[in-house]
Amino acid sequence: MPSLELVVISLTSSNDRRAMVSARLSQLPWPWRFFDARTAADNTLPYEPERAAIRRGYRLASAEIGCFVSHFECLREYAYSPASAPEFMIVLEDDVVLDDDYDFEVLAALMSALDIHYLKLFSRFMTRVRFLGRLGQRGLYRFVVPPYGNQAYVVSKIGARRLADSIRRIDRPIDDEMDRYWVNGLPTYALFPYPARELNMQSTIIKGFTDVSGGSLVQKLRSAAFNWADKIPREYANLRFTSRDLALGKKISHIQTHGNV
């Protein structure tokens, strides 16, 4: 079975959260570790607040920039890790709980069999999707419209490299950036019902939604124009994935029939 590890992104100062994570994950049969979350001060990627306001509708808060850099650096480190590194990595934020009854070890073999390199285990919303088939008690879906939320996902080394190499600057939150499959060429898949959930805890990432009051009419018009123009390559990429969807559905049917991956 392909190898698997788990990484939890967490601030070094979050002692209570780290203690809870350690208690929850101490019995895992495969390795896990903390990845020290970054802050906005650690950012080396270009970021222009006005450009972000046009492309995302608001200027990112410092915590959002820190979250972006944390996931980006985690992915980049994994993407260019030695060949001996695990083939797949589960990435969690420290306010996520895994379903104790779900066999996460099967994910690596499943993703290998289906040629999937990025799989969400949780999202903020259920947006427009394509249903591809049932895998046990859960369904496999491909998101057409980004669902937001990067609290829990699985990525292969190939997927991590595609994601890391596609990022050149910060224009939007990291979950929005990673789900732009029409830019990075990486379809966004998900298992649902989700085998992970977010704890009801206060987020350490303060959003920048309130930082839009100063936008001029010209800026708002430019933002609306960008969003509409961005839908064209998204829908074109979605159409290109249609044949892949059909092929995946056949593979899933084979797995369901023969009971192996």
Side-chain angles (χ1 to χ4, degrees):
M1 180 179 290
S3 55
L4 177 73
E5 73 165 342
L6 186 147
V7 173
V8 180
I9 297 177
S10 178
L11 290 165
T12 56
S13 59
S14 297
N15 296 322
D16 290 343
R17 288 195 178 198
R18 286 196 166 203
M20 286 190 295
V21 169
S22 297
R24 291 198 303 266
L25 302 183
S26 60
Q27 302 303 315
L28 286 179
W30 23 271
W32 74 274
R33 61 184 171 86
F34 285 112
F35 181 87
D36 294 340
R38 309 296 198 250
T39 68
D42 300 312
N43 180 40
T44 59
L45 292 167
Y47 170 66
E48 300 173 26
E50 298 311 311
R51 179 183 169 100
I54 291 172
R55 281 161 172 73
R56 189 60 184 88
Y58 65 92
R59 304 166 189 85
L60 275 64
S62 295
E64 289 178 294
I65 296 173
C67 182
F68 191 111
V69 177
S70 298
H71 283 270
F72 171 66
E73 293 293 346
C74 181
L75 290 167
R76 185 167 65 172
E77 177 187 283
Y78 173 58
Y80 292 96
S81 59
S84 58
E87 189 177 349
F88 290 87
M89 178 175 69
I90 296 178
V91 180
L92 302 180
E93 294 184 353
D94 61 7
D95 58 350
V96 171
V97 176
L98 298 177
D99 183 347
D100 292 335
D101 295 325
Y102 184 72
D103 183 10
F104 287 88
E105 288 186 272
V106 77
L107 288 177
L110 183 65
M111 291 174 68
S112 289
L114 299 178
D115 194 27
I116 290 176
H117 298 282
Y118 174 38
L119 178 72
K120 278 186 175 291
L121 304 178
F122 183 83
S123 69
R124 287 288 187 190
F125 305 103
M126 284 299 292
T127 57
R128 186 172 145 212
V129 297
R130 287 187 182 274
F131 175 70
L132 304 177
R134 292 194 62 81
L135 292 165
Q137 299 301 310
R138 289 175 165 83
L140 181 69
Y141 297 81
R142 178 176 66 80
F143 278 105
V144 176
V145 176
Y148 304 120
N150 261 29
Q151 292 89 337
Y153 57 91
V154 192
V155 66
S156 70
K157 288 192 75 173
I158 293 173
R161 182 166 293 195
R162 287 184 189 175
L163 289 167
D165 289 352
S166 71
I167 295 173
R168 293 287 182 267
R169 59 186 308 118
I170 299 177
D171 288 333
R172 54 185 60 82
I174 186 62
D175 53 348
D176 193 351
E177 184 66 54
M178 288 176 61
D179 290 347
R180 288 167 61 81
Y181 59 87
W182 57 100
V183 174
N184 56 44
L186 203 62
T188 304
Y189 296 102
L191 284 177
F192 189 83
Y194 287 127
R197 65 179 177 88
E198 186 178 28
L199 291 172
N200 188 23
M201 302 172 66
Q202 183 175 353
S203 175
T204 57
I205 302 173
I206 301 173
K207 303 295 182 182
F209 293 118
T210 58
D211 194 14
V212 296
S213 57
S216 66
L217 177 60
V218 172
Q219 183 184 72
K220 292 176 181 178
L221 290 173
R222 291 179 65 189
S223 180
F226 174 82
N227 288 332
W228 276 106
D230 205 34
K231 290 181 180 180
I232 297 173
R234 186 189 77 191
E235 292 301 325
Y236 176 69
N238 176 51
L239 289 174
R240 287 194 296 109
F241 286 137
T242 300
S243 59
R244 177 179 170 81
D245 292 342
L246 294 173
L248 267 179
K250 291 179 180 179
K251 287 184 178 180
I252 292 171
S253 295
H254 178 81
I255 291 172
Q256 288 286 75
T257 301
H258 297 279
N260 58 26
V261 293

